[in-house]
Amino acid sequence: MIPQVMHPMFAKPVHDEAARQGFVNDFRVHLASQIFPGNIQGYFKRVLPAFVKENKREPKDRHEVRRVMTKDPYYQLWSAMQRSSQEMIWDSVIDSVERQLPDLIAKAAALKGKGSLTIDPKLEIPRYNTAADIHLQPGAYHGEAGQNDLSAGAIYDRGTFIYSMGALGEHNDGLGRILHGFFRKQWPDRKIERVLDMGCTIGGSVSYWSQKEPNVEFHAVDLGAACLRYGHARAKAVGANVHFSQQNAEKTNFPDASFDLVTSHILLHETSRPAIHNIMKECHRLLKPGGLMLHLDLPQAAGQSPLEGFLWEWEVYNNNEHFYGQLRELDVAEVCAKAGFDKATFKIHQVSSTWDDGQTPYSDENFTFPVYTAEK
Amino acid sequence: MSEPQIKLPRQSKGKRPYFFDDPAIDQMMTFLVELTAEVSVVYDRLDTVERLLETKGTISRADIEAYRPSDAIESERVARRDGYLKRVFRMHPPQATYGKGGTTAKPAPAKKKRRRRRRQRSAASG
């Protein structure tokens, strides 16, 4: 695996923990590069001909593909291994975090740095976060294992690095790099003074923004206290200046017209249909007139073949990414219009997954993220 | 290793999908993959011991725990794991159809077999 930069808050693994994490990473690389393509070969060689023989036509959508592919022995084998690898990510990382948790909590308290942290113990966690643990992270992003707990954040920092097989770079902040790079390419001269990042988890992205725009006041909200505690400590450790607060992005306590820019990095697909409407309304309320919002998320279904659509939804069914299935077909322009944004300002940009000097951490250099933008 | 002061949850909430008709096969796949991981961990540990012994006469457990592979050595380990994974998870080539359990490749034509046996017999008697 490519080495991850171990900032002072990082839960450093001992020998065998590192070996186990390294294996899970390399196993996932092997699954993606060596085993996964066999699904596509098997579909055309075996599953599709059988379907055509029986129905005298090809499958019309991904749902029809699902009905036959989930019966295919090769697909079943790959899926079983893929699912196990996802469970192994967390188990291998929790070992390191659990072992040194009291030290990490003490370290976070002792770290000097900028920004602030506001926890709201009374915040109600919505059902779309409590119904199932997203990405199978045990205890979820909002879980708390005791006073001043930051384990969910420490687990997330290492776990998402292994999940993405290092695709988010050695600092695990690639989504921030991609969105900030896109923003400054698209709006090089735009003046921003106050920025809000919604659903920041451990603030990897917003901390990068803060490092790039040191004169801007950054705020970041998330549902998870343990992620925010870790995020604040991590931000201090990397020299970022971010004000973290535990709030629901659907309804925050900031006054109207507080921000020049509102961002999110793969937040939307972890919410729900009512929540995405509320979030867009909240963005509209929080933006100053002329303010801009940028939401980076995962690809939608439009333009994908029935097979591609089926394969893209593996995580929806098997990795607790429940709302992603709906977001893939949602008319986000309509959601934003209902929230008060002028439809003429709404745009979906397909943004390349490269950053900085053209680094391409993704094996598929044509891979793009949709970024939803609108102005108030 | 001593017990951690704070125990963290290990099970994720949400229904686990089962991919095979028999859930025991899903369970067996988990056993298999976990076992493969453990062999890899032992291999890394052995590699660490070998590398340390190349530079020192005797080593302690603390030396092993403190050992951090350099980027070059980690690259060697990644290459080794790659070969290891290819060997352990050697997939059969894609098939147009899968036979049911108990089926085997077509047997050789019966006539030829008989003739060969006859020839063997005659060779033995001669």
Side-chain angles (χ1 to χ4, degrees):
Chain A
M1 70 196 298
I2 71 156
Q4 182 172 7
V5 172
M6 298 195 183
H7 52 75
M9 278 310 298
F10 196 87
K12 290 185 184 65
V14 292
H15 187 281
D16 288 5
E17 290 166 358
R20 210 166 273 122
Q21 292 168 8
F23 173 83
V24 179
N25 182 89
D26 293 357
F27 178 47
R28 288 176 63 81
V29 170
H30 181 79
L31 285 172
S33 63
Q34 307 293 319
I35 312 263
F36 174 80
N39 286 311
I40 298 163
Q41 291 167 9
Y43 177 74
F44 287 110
K45 203 173 170 120
R46 185 167 61 242
V47 179
L48 180 64
F51 185 95
V52 171
K53 198 174 169 194
E54 196 182 325
N55 299 282
K56 311 286 178 263
R57 61 170 177 83
E58 296 201 355
K60 62 176 187 294
D61 56 25
R62 62 188 191 281
H63 306 296
E64 285 197 342
V65 174
R66 176 181 331 286
R67 277 197 281 279
V68 283
M69 274 296 270
T70 49
K71 303 266 181 288
D72 186 63
Y74 188 100
Y75 172 82
Q76 292 172 337
L77 263 175
W78 167 73
S79 293
M81 290 193 275
Q82 188 70 20
R83 169 78 189 200
S84 284
S85 82
Q86 184 71 24
E87 293 166 348
M88 289 162 81
I89 294 174
W90 303 120
D91 221 30
S92 70
V93 174
I94 292 170
D95 286 343
S96 298
V97 175
E98 190 175 59
R99 182 175 48 74
Q100 53 197 316
L101 187 52
D103 294 343
L104 290 173
I105 292 171
K107 218 186 258 182
L111 262 177
K112 298 265 178 287
K114 294 173 187 159
S116 64
L117 173 68
T118 310
I119 297 298
D120 175 9
K122 291 195 180 121
L123 182 72
E124 197 187 325
I125 308 296
R127 211 184 106 72
Y128 52 82
N129 260 236
T130 58
D133 291 350
I134 290 169
H135 285 151
L136 315 186
Q137 180 173 331
Y141 301 163
H142 60 271
E144 285 197 72
Q147 235 191 353
N148 298 325
D149 179 34
L150 44 72
S151 60
I155 294 164
Y156 179 95
D157 199 1
R158 183 60 168 166
T160 51
F161 184 84
I162 299 173
Y163 169 78
S164 62
M165 297 166 278
L168 299 178
E170 58 183 4
H171 300 281
N172 204 25
D173 60 1
L175 296 174
R177 286 170 191 260
I178 291 166
L179 194 60
H180 180 267
F182 162 75
F183 170 64
R184 274 306 174 207
K185 206 170 139 195
Q186 203 76 13
W187 291 276
D189 303 318
R190 196 173 181 104
K191 297 261 183 301
I192 48 170
E193 288 172 356
R194 287 186 96 214
V195 176
L196 173 66
D197 185 44
M198 291 177 155
C200 64
T201 52
I202 61 164
S205 297
V206 70
S207 294
Y208 176 77
W209 278 77
S210 161
Q211 287 167 287
K212 294 300 277 190
E213 311 267 355
N215 299 319
V216 174
E217 185 180 320
F218 282 95
H219 293 259
V221 297
D222 198 85
L223 293 166
C227 279
L228 289 163
R229 288 192 196 101
Y230 181 84
H232 178 47
R234 182 190 179 282
K236 287 193 281 187
V238 301
N241 183 1
V242 181
H243 300 284
F244 291 92
S245 57
Q246 188 183 11
Q247 300 197 58
N248 185 335
E250 295 177 64
K251 193 178 188 312
T252 67
N253 62 9
F254 300 108
D256 293 357
S258 298
F259 297 101
D260 306 285
L261 178 67
V262 176
T263 61
S264 75
H265 305 75
I266 55 169
L267 161 71
L268 300 180
H269 76 281
E270 312 286 20
T271 63
S272 72
R273 201 174 276 270
I276 195 172
H277 282 275
N278 291 340
I279 287 169
M280 292 306 180
K281 273 186 213 150
E282 186 67 356
C283 287
H284 193 263
R285 184 184 75 78
L286 292 175
L287 283 174
K288 295 176 188 171
L292 171 73
M293 65 172 184
L294 306 171
H295 300 283
L296 178 148
D297 220 285
L298 300 176
Q300 289 199 295
Q304 294 181 344
S305 70
L307 176 65
E308 283 171 331
F310 162 71
L311 292 170
W312 263 99
E313 284 193 358
W314 191 89
E315 303 242 339
V316 175
Y317 288 84
N318 305 307
N319 199 17
N320 289 351
E321 290 266 41
H322 298 297
F323 183 57
Y324 178 43
Q326 293 184 51
L327 179 63
R328 284 165 54 76
E329 296 195 317
L330 193 68
D331 185 349
V332 181
E334 190 56 35
V335 175
C336 292
K338 274 190 184 159
F341 288 96
D342 179 356
K343 246 189 177 172
T345 72
F346 178 85
K347 227 174 159 181
I348 306 178
H349 302 260
Q350 295 300 332
V351 176
S352 157
S353 61
T354 59
W355 65 66
D356 299 349
D357 45 1
Q359 267 190 70
T360 309
Y362 283 81
S363 52
D364 176 2
E365 58 189 47
N366 299 318
F367 180 78
T368 58
F369 289 100
V371 175
Y372 307 104
T373 70
E375 286 174 78
K376 185 172 175 183
Chain B
M1 210 163 98
S2 59
E3 277 288 299
Q5 290 180 35
I6 305 167
K7 280 258 189 194
L8 295 177
R10 294 287 177 150
Q11 299 270 328
S12 65
K13 190 177 172 188
K15 197 175 182 321
R16 193 189 194 281
Y18 282 86
F19 301 101
F20 297 98
D21 293 336
D22 181 354
I25 302 180
D26 290 84
Q27 180 64 74
M28 292 299 284
M29 287 304 295
T30 296
F31 292 158
L32 175 67
V33 173
E34 291 281 7
L35 181 60
T36 310
E38 293 312 300
V39 173
S40 178
V41 171
V42 174
Y43 207 143
D44 278 4
R45 203 171 173 91
L46 180 62
D47 183 60
T48 296
V49 171
E50 287 174 356
R51 286 178 195 274
L52 285 170
L53 282 174
E54 273 171 6
T55 53
K56 292 171 84 173
T58 57
I59 53 169
S60 65
R61 285 208 178 97
D63 290 333
I64 298 170
E65 293 305 337
Y67 179 80
R68 293 284 175 275
S70 64
D71 287 357
I73 289 171
E74 181 58 23
S75 298
E76 282 180 38
R77 287 185 174 185
V78 168
R80 194 202 66 225
R81 277 190 214 122
D82 182 49
Y84 167 72
L85 284 161
K86 280 180 177 145
R87 287 191 298 278
V88 175
F89 296 110
R90 183 176 60 80
M91 300 297 281
H92 305 162
Q95 309 287 318
T97 55
Y98 285 116
K100 288 206 172 66
T103 57
T104 53
K106 264 189 192 165
K111 272 186 182 172
K112 268 187 192 167
K113 262 191 182 169
R114 269 205 299 275
R115 221 177 288 146
R116 202 175 300 131
R117 246 181 267 137
R118 253 204 309 276
R119 223 179 290 141
Q120 279 167 353
R121 263 205 304 273
S122 61
S125 61

